[in-house]
Amino acid sequence: EIVLTQSPGTLSLSPGERATLSCRASQSVLRNYLAWYQQKPGQAPRLLISAASSRATGIPDRFSGSGSGTDFTLTISRLEPEDFAVYYCQQYGSSISYTFGQGTKLEIK
Amino acid sequence: QVQLQESGPGLVQPSQTLSLTCSVSGGSITSHGFYWSWIRQYPGKDLEWIGYMFNTGGTKYNPSLNSRLTISRDTSKNQFSLKLNSVTAADTAMYYCARMPSTGSFGWFDPWGQGTLVTVSS
């Protein structure tokens, strides 16, 4: 099973700042099949990015994904108040099982 | 646009069977192009993929749950269901159903239902 480790656990930033979230895999993710989700309190996760860098429909272009192999990054170029939430990465390159990272909480500083 | 809604008992006794249903509107579960999945989120917020059903009715399960899990469907109601046997307190979680694409870089989940909380307790 591929283990995903996200860092930092909590990120404290102010609106307008740039956020960089990391997701590291225990082994290479096949075809860079990595997704990012945003979850707000009381809501289901929402897809932001698939295949490491493809923005989902309706996702603002301040969200971008990058990376390959075992190291992936979600960048939010300029934080809006509604961006403060928990972010999860998920790999789907393994044909055995899909796995999620433990999440990064993005909080207002 | 497609919407998913989970339903089922919120409380299940230990050793019993957890049964949930996902009702899909705005799209058919038999249509080419999509599979239908279950995911759970533990109280500590970790997420775990449970399994999915192909549009043709086949299934793929998380190996860690394979011996206790059945995913089935009712095409006349456009619903798919989850049954998890021999539950323990460790199965207490928010359970989500979600759609996933069956082509291209499939394996991501969008959209998700709102989730239903299941507590295993006597």
Side-chain angles (χ1 to χ4, degrees), chain B residues 40-106:
Chain B
R40 64 183 177 181
Q41 186 168 34
Y42 296 106
K45 300 301 183 183
D46 282 351
L47 289 157
E48 180 180 45
W49 168 70
I50 295 171
Y52 64 78
M53 168 162 279
F54 305 147
N55 59 306
T56 55
T59 54
K60 182 175 175 67
Y61 299 155
N62 186 322
S64 69
L65 297 169
N66 192 59
S67 63
R68 299 194 290 135
L69 179 63
T70 302
I71 296 176
S72 60
R73 67 180 184 173
D74 184 337
T75 57
S76 67
K77 295 181 179 179
N78 211 36
Q79 296 174 334
F80 63 104
S81 299
L82 172 155
K83 289 188 186 299
L84 187 65
N85 299 328
S86 305
V87 296
T88 69
D91 294 306
T92 293
M94 181 73 79
Y95 285 76
Y96 294 100
C97 56
R99 187 183 71 172
M100 54 188 286
S102 61
T103 57
S105 71
F106 79 91

Short mmCIF file of all heavy atoms in Angstrom, two decimals, chain B residues 40-106:
data_model
loop_
_atom_site.label_atom_id
_atom_site.label_comp_id
_atom_site.label_asym_id
_atom_site.label_seq_id
_atom_site.Cartn_x
_atom_site.Cartn_y
_atom_site.Cartn_z
N ARG B 40 -14.87 6.22 3.48
CA ARG B 40 -15.25 6.58 4.83
C ARG B 40 -14.19 7.48 5.46
O ARG B 40 -13.02 7.44 5.07
CB ARG B 40 -15.52 5.37 5.70
CG ARG B 40 -14.35 4.44 5.95
CD ARG B 40 -14.82 3.24 6.78
NE ARG B 40 -13.74 2.26 7.01
CZ ARG B 40 -13.92 1.12 7.68
NH1 ARG B 40 -15.10 0.82 8.18
NH2 ARG B 40 -12.90 0.29 7.84
N GLN B 41 -14.66 8.27 6.43
CA GLN B 41 -13.78 9.19 7.13
C GLN B 41 -13.94 8.95 8.62
O GLN B 41 -15.03 9.11 9.18
CB GLN B 41 -14.11 10.65 6.78
CG GLN B 41 -13.14 11.65 7.38
CD GLN B 41 -13.31 13.04 6.78
OE1 GLN B 41 -14.40 13.47 6.43
NE2 GLN B 41 -12.20 13.78 6.65
N TYR B 42 -12.85 8.58 9.25
CA TYR B 42 -12.85 8.29 10.67
C TYR B 42 -13.00 9.56 11.50
O TYR B 42 -12.73 10.66 11.01
CB TYR B 42 -11.58 7.55 11.05
CG TYR B 42 -11.46 6.19 10.40
CD1 TYR B 42 -10.59 5.97 9.34
CD2 TYR B 42 -12.25 5.12 10.83
CE1 TYR B 42 -10.48 4.72 8.75
CE2 TYR B 42 -12.15 3.88 10.23
CZ TYR B 42 -11.27 3.69 9.19
OH TYR B 42 -11.17 2.45 8.60
N PRO B 43 -13.37 9.41 12.77
CA PRO B 43 -13.52 10.60 13.62
C PRO B 43 -12.26 11.46 13.70
O PRO B 43 -12.35 12.66 13.85
CB PRO B 43 -13.87 9.98 14.98
CG PRO B 43 -14.56 8.70 14.64
CD PRO B 43 -13.85 8.20 13.41
N GLY B 44 -11.10 10.86 13.54
CA GLY B 44 -9.85 11.62 13.55
C GLY B 44 -9.56 12.28 12.21
O GLY B 44 -8.54 12.94 12.04
N LYS B 45 -10.50 12.10 11.25
CA LYS B 45 -10.49 12.75 9.93
C LYS B 45 -9.72 12.02 8.84
O LYS B 45 -9.70 12.48 7.71
CB LYS B 45 -10.03 14.21 10.01
CG LYS B 45 -10.91 15.06 10.91
CD LYS B 45 -12.35 15.07 10.43
CE LYS B 45 -13.21 15.98 11.27
NZ LYS B 45 -14.64 15.93 10.84
N ASP B 46 -9.07 10.90 9.14
CA ASP B 46 -8.43 10.13 8.08
C ASP B 46 -9.49 9.56 7.14
O ASP B 46 -10.57 9.14 7.57
CB ASP B 46 -7.61 8.98 8.67
CG ASP B 46 -6.28 9.45 9.23
OD1 ASP B 46 -5.92 10.63 9.02
OD2 ASP B 46 -5.60 8.64 9.88
N LEU B 47 -9.14 9.51 5.86
CA LEU B 47 -10.03 9.00 4.82
C LEU B 47 -9.57 7.62 4.35
O LEU B 47 -8.37 7.37 4.23
CB LEU B 47 -10.04 9.95 3.62
CG LEU B 47 -10.75 11.28 3.83
CD1 LEU B 47 -10.23 12.34 2.87
CD2 LEU B 47 -12.26 11.11 3.67
N GLU B 48 -10.54 6.73 4.09
CA GLU B 48 -10.22 5.39 3.60
C GLU B 48 -11.15 5.03 2.45
O GLU B 48 -12.38 5.10 2.59
CB GLU B 48 -10.35 4.36 4.72
CG GLU B 48 -10.03 2.93 4.26
CD GLU B 48 -10.16 1.91 5.38
OE1 GLU B 48 -11.17 1.98 6.13
OE2 GLU B 48 -9.29 1.04 5.50
N TRP B 49 -10.57 4.63 1.33
CA TRP B 49 -11.36 4.13 0.21
C TRP B 49 -11.86 2.74 0.55
O TRP B 49 -11.08 1.88 1.00
CB TRP B 49 -10.51 4.10 -1.05
CG TRP B 49 -11.15 3.35 -2.17
CD1 TRP B 49 -12.25 3.70 -2.89
CD2 TRP B 49 -10.74 2.08 -2.68
NE1 TRP B 49 -12.55 2.74 -3.83
CE2 TRP B 49 -11.63 1.74 -3.72
CE3 TRP B 49 -9.70 1.20 -2.36
CZ2 TRP B 49 -11.52 0.56 -4.44
CZ3 TRP B 49 -9.58 0.03 -3.09
CH2 TRP B 49 -10.49 -0.29 -4.12
N ILE B 50 -13.16 2.49 0.35
CA ILE B 50 -13.77 1.21 0.72
C ILE B 50 -13.87 0.29 -0.49
O ILE B 50 -13.49 -0.89 -0.44
CB ILE B 50 -15.17 1.44 1.31
CG1 ILE B 50 -15.07 2.22 2.63
CG2 ILE B 50 -15.91 0.11 1.51
CD1 ILE B 50 -16.42 2.68 3.18
N GLY B 51 -14.39 0.80 -1.58
CA GLY B 51 -14.55 -0.02 -2.77
C GLY B 51 -15.41 0.69 -3.79
O GLY B 51 -15.94 1.77 -3.52
N TYR B 52 -15.52 0.09 -5.00
CA TYR B 52 -16.39 0.68 -5.99
C TYR B 52 -17.07 -0.38 -6.85
O TYR B 52 -16.66 -1.55 -6.86
CB TYR B 52 -15.66 1.70 -6.86
CG TYR B 52 -14.53 1.21 -7.74
CD1 TYR B 52 -14.77 0.55 -8.94
CD2 TYR B 52 -13.21 1.47 -7.39
CE1 TYR B 52 -13.73 0.14 -9.76
CE2 TYR B 52 -12.16 1.06 -8.20
CZ TYR B 52 -12.42 0.40 -9.38
OH TYR B 52 -11.38 0.00 -10.19
N MET B 53 -18.13 0.08 -7.50
CA MET B 53 -18.89 -0.76 -8.41
C MET B 53 -18.77 -0.22 -9.83
O MET B 53 -18.94 0.99 -10.05
CB MET B 53 -20.35 -0.82 -7.97
CG MET B 53 -21.30 -1.42 -9.00
SD MET B 53 -22.84 -1.95 -8.27
CE MET B 53 -22.34 -3.53 -7.60
N PHE B 54 -18.49 -1.10 -10.78
CA PHE B 54 -18.44 -0.70 -12.18
C PHE B 54 -19.86 -0.41 -12.68
O PHE B 54 -20.84 -0.89 -12.10
CB PHE B 54 -17.86 -1.82 -13.04
CG PHE B 54 -16.51 -2.32 -12.61
CD1 PHE B 54 -16.17 -3.65 -12.79
CD2 PHE B 54 -15.57 -1.48 -12.04
CE1 PHE B 54 -14.92 -4.13 -12.41
CE2 PHE B 54 -14.33 -1.95 -11.65
CZ PHE B 54 -14.01 -3.28 -11.84
N ASN B 55 -19.96 0.32 -13.76
CA ASN B 55 -21.27 0.56 -14.36
C ASN B 55 -21.91 -0.75 -14.85
O ASN B 55 -23.13 -0.84 -15.03
CB ASN B 55 -21.17 1.57 -15.50
CG ASN B 55 -20.24 1.10 -16.60
OD1 ASN B 55 -19.08 0.77 -16.36
ND2 ASN B 55 -20.72 1.07 -17.82
N THR B 56 -21.10 -1.78 -15.04
CA THR B 56 -21.62 -3.08 -15.50
C THR B 56 -22.03 -3.99 -14.33
O THR B 56 -22.57 -5.07 -14.56
CB THR B 56 -20.55 -3.81 -16.31
OG1 THR B 56 -19.36 -3.90 -15.52
CG2 THR B 56 -20.25 -3.07 -17.61
N GLY B 57 -21.75 -3.57 -13.12
CA GLY B 57 -22.13 -4.35 -11.94
C GLY B 57 -20.98 -5.06 -11.24
O GLY B 57 -21.15 -5.60 -10.15
N GLY B 58 -19.82 -5.11 -11.86
CA GLY B 58 -18.67 -5.70 -11.20
C GLY B 58 -18.21 -4.84 -10.04
O GLY B 58 -18.67 -3.70 -9.87
N THR B 59 -17.31 -5.38 -9.22
CA THR B 59 -16.87 -4.64 -8.03
C THR B 59 -15.37 -4.76 -7.82
O THR B 59 -14.72 -5.69 -8.31
CB THR B 59 -17.56 -5.18 -6.76
OG1 THR B 59 -17.34 -6.59 -6.67
CG2 THR B 59 -19.05 -4.88 -6.76
N LYS B 60 -14.83 -3.80 -7.10
CA LYS B 60 -13.44 -3.83 -6.65
C LYS B 60 -13.42 -3.32 -5.23
O LYS B 60 -13.96 -2.24 -4.95
CB LYS B 60 -12.55 -2.97 -7.54
CG LYS B 60 -11.07 -3.02 -7.15
CD LYS B 60 -10.24 -2.25 -8.15
CE LYS B 60 -8.77 -2.16 -7.74
NZ LYS B 60 -8.12 -3.49 -7.77
N TYR B 61 -12.79 -4.08 -4.34
CA TYR B 61 -12.81 -3.74 -2.93
C TYR B 61 -11.40 -3.45 -2.41
O TYR B 61 -10.41 -3.97 -2.90
CB TYR B 61 -13.38 -4.91 -2.11
CG TYR B 61 -14.80 -5.30 -2.44
CD1 TYR B 61 -15.24 -6.59 -2.18
CD2 TYR B 61 -15.71 -4.40 -2.98
CE1 TYR B 61 -16.55 -6.98 -2.45
CE2 TYR B 61 -17.01 -4.78 -3.28
CZ TYR B 61 -17.43 -6.07 -3.00
OH TYR B 61 -18.72 -6.45 -3.28
N ASN B 62 -11.36 -2.65 -1.35
CA ASN B 62 -10.12 -2.46 -0.62
C ASN B 62 -9.74 -3.82 -0.01
O ASN B 62 -10.56 -4.43 0.68
CB ASN B 62 -10.33 -1.41 0.48
CG ASN B 62 -9.05 -1.05 1.21
OD1 ASN B 62 -8.20 -1.88 1.47
ND2 ASN B 62 -8.93 0.23 1.55
N PRO B 63 -8.53 -4.29 -0.26
CA PRO B 63 -8.15 -5.62 0.26
C PRO B 63 -8.33 -5.75 1.78
O PRO B 63 -8.60 -6.84 2.27
CB PRO B 63 -6.68 -5.74 -0.15
CG PRO B 63 -6.54 -4.86 -1.33
CD PRO B 63 -7.48 -3.71 -1.10
N SER B 64 -8.19 -4.65 2.49
CA SER B 64 -8.30 -4.72 3.96
C SER B 64 -9.72 -4.98 4.41
O SER B 64 -9.95 -5.36 5.57
CB SER B 64 -7.79 -3.42 4.57
OG SER B 64 -8.65 -2.35 4.28
N LEU B 65 -10.70 -4.79 3.53
CA LEU B 65 -12.11 -4.97 3.88
C LEU B 65 -12.77 -6.10 3.10
O LEU B 65 -13.94 -6.43 3.34
CB LEU B 65 -12.88 -3.67 3.61
CG LEU B 65 -12.46 -2.47 4.44
CD1 LEU B 65 -13.11 -1.19 3.90
CD2 LEU B 65 -12.83 -2.66 5.91
N ASN B 66 -12.03 -6.68 2.18
CA ASN B 66 -12.58 -7.62 1.20
C ASN B 66 -13.41 -8.74 1.83
O ASN B 66 -14.45 -9.12 1.29
CB ASN B 66 -11.43 -8.20 0.38
CG ASN B 66 -11.91 -8.95 -0.83
OD1 ASN B 66 -12.59 -8.39 -1.69
ND2 ASN B 66 -11.58 -10.23 -0.90
N SER B 67 -12.98 -9.27 2.96
CA SER B 67 -13.67 -10.43 3.55
C SER B 67 -15.00 -10.06 4.21
O SER B 67 -15.82 -10.95 4.48
CB SER B 67 -12.76 -11.09 4.58
OG SER B 67 -12.49 -10.20 5.64
N ARG B 68 -15.23 -8.78 4.45
CA ARG B 68 -16.44 -8.36 5.16
C ARG B 68 -17.39 -7.52 4.30
O ARG B 68 -18.46 -7.14 4.76
CB ARG B 68 -16.07 -7.53 6.39
CG ARG B 68 -15.23 -8.24 7.42
CD ARG B 68 -15.21 -7.44 8.74
NE ARG B 68 -14.47 -6.20 8.65
CZ ARG B 68 -14.89 -5.05 9.14
NH1 ARG B 68 -16.07 -4.95 9.73
NH2 ARG B 68 -14.13 -3.96 9.05
N LEU B 69 -17.00 -7.23 3.07
CA LEU B 69 -17.66 -6.18 2.30
C LEU B 69 -18.43 -6.73 1.11
O LEU B 69 -17.96 -7.65 0.42
CB LEU B 69 -16.59 -5.20 1.80
CG LEU B 69 -17.04 -4.02 0.94
CD1 LEU B 69 -17.97 -3.11 1.74
CD2 LEU B 69 -15.82 -3.25 0.44
N THR B 70 -19.60 -6.17 0.87
CA THR B 70 -20.35 -6.41 -0.36
C THR B 70 -20.91 -5.09 -0.85
O THR B 70 -21.55 -4.36 -0.09
CB THR B 70 -21.51 -7.39 -0.15
OG1 THR B 70 -21.02 -8.63 0.36
CG2 THR B 70 -22.24 -7.65 -1.46
N ILE B 71 -20.65 -4.78 -2.10
CA ILE B 71 -21.27 -3.63 -2.76
C ILE B 71 -22.19 -4.17 -3.84
O ILE B 71 -21.77 -5.01 -4.65
CB ILE B 71 -20.23 -2.67 -3.35
CG1 ILE B 71 -19.38 -2.06 -2.23
CG2 ILE B 71 -20.91 -1.55 -4.14
CD1 ILE B 71 -18.25 -1.15 -2.71
N SER B 72 -23.43 -3.72 -3.84
CA SER B 72 -24.42 -4.20 -4.80
C SER B 72 -25.20 -3.02 -5.35
O SER B 72 -24.95 -1.87 -4.97
CB SER B 72 -25.36 -5.20 -4.13
OG SER B 72 -26.03 -4.59 -3.05
N ARG B 73 -26.16 -3.29 -6.22
CA ARG B 73 -26.93 -2.19 -6.80
C ARG B 73 -28.35 -2.60 -7.09
O ARG B 73 -28.66 -3.81 -7.20
CB ARG B 73 -26.25 -1.70 -8.08
CG ARG B 73 -26.28 -2.72 -9.22
CD ARG B 73 -25.59 -2.16 -10.43
NE ARG B 73 -25.69 -3.09 -11.57
CZ ARG B 73 -25.29 -2.81 -12.80
NH1 ARG B 73 -24.73 -1.62 -13.06
NH2 ARG B 73 -25.41 -3.69 -13.77
N ASP B 74 -29.20 -1.59 -7.21
CA ASP B 74 -30.58 -1.75 -7.65
C ASP B 74 -30.76 -0.78 -8.81
O ASP B 74 -30.98 0.41 -8.59
CB ASP B 74 -31.55 -1.47 -6.50
CG ASP B 74 -33.00 -1.72 -6.89
OD1 ASP B 74 -33.32 -1.69 -8.09
OD2 ASP B 74 -33.81 -1.95 -5.98
N THR B 75 -30.66 -1.29 -10.01
CA THR B 75 -30.71 -0.40 -11.18
C THR B 75 -32.08 0.23 -11.36
O THR B 75 -32.18 1.33 -11.90
CB THR B 75 -30.29 -1.16 -12.45
OG1 THR B 75 -31.14 -2.29 -12.62
CG2 THR B 75 -28.85 -1.62 -12.36
N SER B 76 -33.14 -0.46 -10.90
CA SER B 76 -34.48 0.09 -11.06
C SER B 76 -34.67 1.35 -10.21
O SER B 76 -35.49 2.21 -10.53
CB SER B 76 -35.53 -0.95 -10.69
OG SER B 76 -35.48 -1.25 -9.31
N LYS B 77 -33.90 1.44 -9.13
CA LYS B 77 -33.98 2.61 -8.24
C LYS B 77 -32.79 3.55 -8.43
O LYS B 77 -32.73 4.59 -7.77
CB LYS B 77 -34.05 2.16 -6.78
CG LYS B 77 -35.30 1.38 -6.43
CD LYS B 77 -35.29 0.98 -4.96
CE LYS B 77 -36.56 0.21 -4.61
NZ LYS B 77 -36.56 -0.20 -3.18
N ASN B 78 -31.87 3.17 -9.30
CA ASN B 78 -30.64 3.95 -9.51
C ASN B 78 -29.89 4.16 -8.19
O ASN B 78 -29.49 5.28 -7.84
CB ASN B 78 -30.93 5.30 -10.18
CG ASN B 78 -29.78 5.77 -11.04
OD1 ASN B 78 -29.09 4.97 -11.69
ND2 ASN B 78 -29.54 7.07 -11.07
N GLN B 79 -29.74 3.05 -7.48
CA GLN B 79 -29.07 3.07 -6.18
C GLN B 79 -27.97 2.01 -6.13
O GLN B 79 -28.07 0.98 -6.79
CB GLN B 79 -30.05 2.77 -5.04
CG GLN B 79 -31.16 3.77 -4.86
CD GLN B 79 -32.17 3.33 -3.82
OE1 GLN B 79 -32.34 2.14 -3.55
NE2 GLN B 79 -32.86 4.30 -3.22
N PHE B 80 -26.95 2.27 -5.33
CA PHE B 80 -25.99 1.23 -5.02
C PHE B 80 -25.80 1.20 -3.50
O PHE B 80 -26.04 2.19 -2.81
CB PHE B 80 -24.67 1.39 -5.79
CG PHE B 80 -23.88 2.63 -5.51
CD1 PHE B 80 -22.74 2.58 -4.72
CD2 PHE B 80 -24.25 3.86 -6.04
CE1 PHE B 80 -21.99 3.72 -4.47
CE2 PHE B 80 -23.51 5.00 -5.80
CZ PHE B 80 -22.38 4.93 -5.01
N SER B 81 -25.39 0.04 -3.01
CA SER B 81 -25.41 -0.18 -1.57
C SER B 81 -24.12 -0.79 -1.07
O SER B 81 -23.36 -1.39 -1.82
CB SER B 81 -26.58 -1.10 -1.20
OG SER B 81 -27.81 -0.52 -1.55
N LEU B 82 -23.92 -0.63 0.23
CA LEU B 82 -22.76 -1.18 0.91
C LEU B 82 -23.24 -2.04 2.07
O LEU B 82 -24.16 -1.63 2.79
CB LEU B 82 -21.89 -0.03 1.43
CG LEU B 82 -20.70 -0.30 2.35
CD1 LEU B 82 -19.69 0.85 2.22
CD2 LEU B 82 -21.12 -0.38 3.81
N LYS B 83 -22.68 -3.22 2.23
CA LYS B 83 -22.91 -4.05 3.40
C LYS B 83 -21.56 -4.45 3.97
O LYS B 83 -20.72 -5.01 3.25
CB LYS B 83 -23.73 -5.29 3.07
CG LYS B 83 -25.19 -5.00 2.74
CD LYS B 83 -25.99 -6.29 2.60
CE LYS B 83 -27.40 -6.04 2.12
NZ LYS B 83 -28.16 -5.19 3.06
N LEU B 84 -21.36 -4.15 5.24
CA LEU B 84 -20.11 -4.48 5.93
C LEU B 84 -20.46 -5.35 7.13
O LEU B 84 -21.17 -4.91 8.03
CB LEU B 84 -19.40 -3.20 6.36
CG LEU B 84 -18.00 -3.35 6.95
CD1 LEU B 84 -17.04 -3.89 5.90
CD2 LEU B 84 -17.50 -2.00 7.49
N ASN B 85 -19.95 -6.57 7.11
CA ASN B 85 -20.29 -7.54 8.15
C ASN B 85 -19.40 -7.41 9.38
O ASN B 85 -18.32 -6.82 9.33
CB ASN B 85 -20.12 -8.96 7.59
CG ASN B 85 -21.02 -9.23 6.41
OD1 ASN B 85 -22.12 -8.69 6.33
ND2 ASN B 85 -20.55 -10.03 5.48
N SER B 86 -19.88 -8.00 10.47
CA SER B 86 -19.06 -8.15 11.68
C SER B 86 -18.39 -6.86 12.11
O SER B 86 -17.18 -6.80 12.32
CB SER B 86 -18.00 -9.24 11.45
OG SER B 86 -18.58 -10.44 11.03
N VAL B 87 -19.18 -5.81 12.24
CA VAL B 87 -18.60 -4.51 12.53
C VAL B 87 -18.14 -4.42 13.99
O VAL B 87 -18.65 -5.10 14.87
CB VAL B 87 -19.57 -3.36 12.22
CG1 VAL B 87 -19.89 -3.32 10.73
CG2 VAL B 87 -20.85 -3.48 13.05
N THR B 88 -17.15 -3.55 14.19
CA THR B 88 -16.66 -3.21 15.53
C THR B 88 -16.64 -1.70 15.66
O THR B 88 -16.91 -0.98 14.70
CB THR B 88 -15.25 -3.77 15.75
OG1 THR B 88 -14.33 -3.04 14.92
CG2 THR B 88 -15.17 -5.26 15.43
N ALA B 89 -16.24 -1.23 16.82
CA ALA B 89 -16.17 0.22 17.05
C ALA B 89 -15.22 0.89 16.05
O ALA B 89 -15.37 2.07 15.74
CB ALA B 89 -15.72 0.49 18.48
N ALA B 90 -14.27 0.13 15.54
CA ALA B 90 -13.31 0.68 14.58
C ALA B 90 -13.95 1.04 13.25
O ALA B 90 -13.34 1.73 12.42
CB ALA B 90 -12.17 -0.31 14.35
N ASP B 91 -15.20 0.58 13.03
CA ASP B 91 -15.91 0.91 11.80
C ASP B 91 -16.75 2.17 11.95
O ASP B 91 -17.43 2.58 11.00
CB ASP B 91 -16.80 -0.27 11.37
CG ASP B 91 -15.99 -1.49 10.98
OD1 ASP B 91 -15.10 -1.35 10.11
OD2 ASP B 91 -16.24 -2.58 11.55
N THR B 92 -16.72 2.78 13.12
CA THR B 92 -17.41 4.05 13.33
C THR B 92 -16.77 5.13 12.46
O THR B 92 -15.55 5.35 12.52
CB THR B 92 -17.34 4.47 14.80
OG1 THR B 92 -18.09 3.54 15.59
CG2 THR B 92 -17.87 5.88 15.01
N ALA B 93 -17.58 5.76 11.62
CA ALA B 93 -17.04 6.73 10.66
C ALA B 93 -18.17 7.45 9.95
O ALA B 93 -19.34 7.04 10.04
CB ALA B 93 -16.16 6.03 9.60
N MET B 94 -17.82 8.50 9.24
CA MET B 94 -18.72 9.12 8.27
C MET B 94 -18.53 8.36 6.96
O MET B 94 -17.39 8.19 6.50
CB MET B 94 -18.35 10.59 8.08
CG MET B 94 -19.24 11.33 7.11
SD MET B 94 -20.86 11.67 7.79
CE MET B 94 -20.47 13.10 8.82
N TYR B 95 -19.62 7.90 6.39
CA TYR B 95 -19.55 7.13 5.15
C TYR B 95 -20.05 8.00 3.99
O TYR B 95 -21.15 8.56 4.06
CB TYR B 95 -20.38 5.85 5.26
CG TYR B 95 -19.70 4.80 6.10
CD1 TYR B 95 -19.68 4.91 7.49
CD2 TYR B 95 -19.05 3.72 5.51
CE1 TYR B 95 -19.03 3.95 8.27
CE2 TYR B 95 -18.40 2.77 6.29
CZ TYR B 95 -18.39 2.90 7.66
OH TYR B 95 -17.73 1.95 8.43
N TYR B 96 -19.24 8.08 2.95
CA TYR B 96 -19.58 8.85 1.76
C TYR B 96 -19.70 7.93 0.56
O TYR B 96 -18.93 6.97 0.41
CB TYR B 96 -18.47 9.86 1.45
CG TYR B 96 -18.26 10.97 2.44
CD1 TYR B 96 -17.24 10.92 3.38
CD2 TYR B 96 -19.07 12.12 2.42
CE1 TYR B 96 -17.02 11.95 4.27
CE2 TYR B 96 -18.86 13.16 3.31
CZ TYR B 96 -17.84 13.06 4.24
OH TYR B 96 -17.63 14.09 5.12
N CYS B 97 -20.63 8.27 -0.34
CA CYS B 97 -20.60 7.68 -1.66
C CYS B 97 -20.14 8.76 -2.65
O CYS B 97 -20.30 9.97 -2.39
CB CYS B 97 -21.93 7.08 -2.07
SG CYS B 97 -23.37 8.18 -2.04
N ALA B 98 -19.55 8.33 -3.73
CA ALA B 98 -18.98 9.28 -4.68
C ALA B 98 -18.92 8.64 -6.06
O ALA B 98 -18.88 7.42 -6.20
CB ALA B 98 -17.58 9.72 -4.25
N ARG B 99 -18.88 9.49 -7.06
CA ARG B 99 -18.73 9.03 -8.44
C ARG B 99 -17.26 9.14 -8.84
O ARG B 99 -16.55 10.04 -8.39
CB ARG B 99 -19.58 9.89 -9.37
CG ARG B 99 -19.64 9.42 -10.81
CD ARG B 99 -20.43 10.38 -11.67
NE ARG B 99 -19.72 11.64 -11.88
CZ ARG B 99 -20.13 12.58 -12.72
NH1 ARG B 99 -21.27 12.41 -13.40
NH2 ARG B 99 -19.44 13.69 -12.85
N MET B 100 -16.83 8.21 -9.66
CA MET B 100 -15.48 8.30 -10.20
C MET B 100 -15.52 8.01 -11.69
O MET B 100 -16.33 7.19 -12.14
CB MET B 100 -14.52 7.36 -9.47
CG MET B 100 -14.95 5.92 -9.41
SD MET B 100 -13.89 4.91 -8.35
CE MET B 100 -12.45 4.78 -9.36
N PRO B 101 -14.66 8.64 -12.48
CA PRO B 101 -14.65 8.38 -13.91
C PRO B 101 -14.07 6.99 -14.18
O PRO B 101 -13.26 6.49 -13.40
CB PRO B 101 -13.75 9.48 -14.46
CG PRO B 101 -12.82 9.76 -13.34
CD PRO B 101 -13.64 9.60 -12.09
N SER B 102 -14.49 6.38 -15.27
CA SER B 102 -13.99 5.05 -15.61
C SER B 102 -13.03 5.08 -16.79
O SER B 102 -12.55 4.05 -17.23
CB SER B 102 -15.17 4.12 -15.95
OG SER B 102 -15.88 4.60 -17.07
N THR B 103 -12.75 6.27 -17.28
CA THR B 103 -11.82 6.40 -18.41
C THR B 103 -10.80 7.47 -18.09
O THR B 103 -10.94 8.22 -17.12
CB THR B 103 -12.57 6.79 -19.69
OG1 THR B 103 -13.27 8.02 -19.45
CG2 THR B 103 -13.56 5.71 -20.09
N GLY B 104 -9.76 7.51 -18.89
CA GLY B 104 -8.71 8.50 -18.66
C GLY B 104 -7.99 8.22 -17.36
O GLY B 104 -7.75 7.07 -17.00
N SER B 105 -7.67 9.25 -16.63
CA SER B 105 -6.95 9.09 -15.37
C SER B 105 -7.94 8.80 -14.25
O SER B 105 -8.05 9.54 -13.29
CB SER B 105 -6.14 10.34 -15.04
OG SER B 105 -6.98 11.40 -14.68
N PHE B 106 -8.67 7.67 -14.38
CA PHE B 106 -9.75 7.43 -13.41
C PHE B 106 -9.19 6.99 -12.07
O PHE B 106 -8.14 6.38 -11.98
CB PHE B 106 -10.73 6.40 -13.97
CG PHE B 106 -10.26 4.97 -13.88
CD1 PHE B 106 -10.57 4.20 -12.77
CD2 PHE B 106 -9.54 4.40 -14.90
CE1 PHE B 106 -10.16 2.89 -12.70
CE2 PHE B 106 -9.12 3.09 -14.83
CZ PHE B 106 -9.43 2.33 -13.73
#
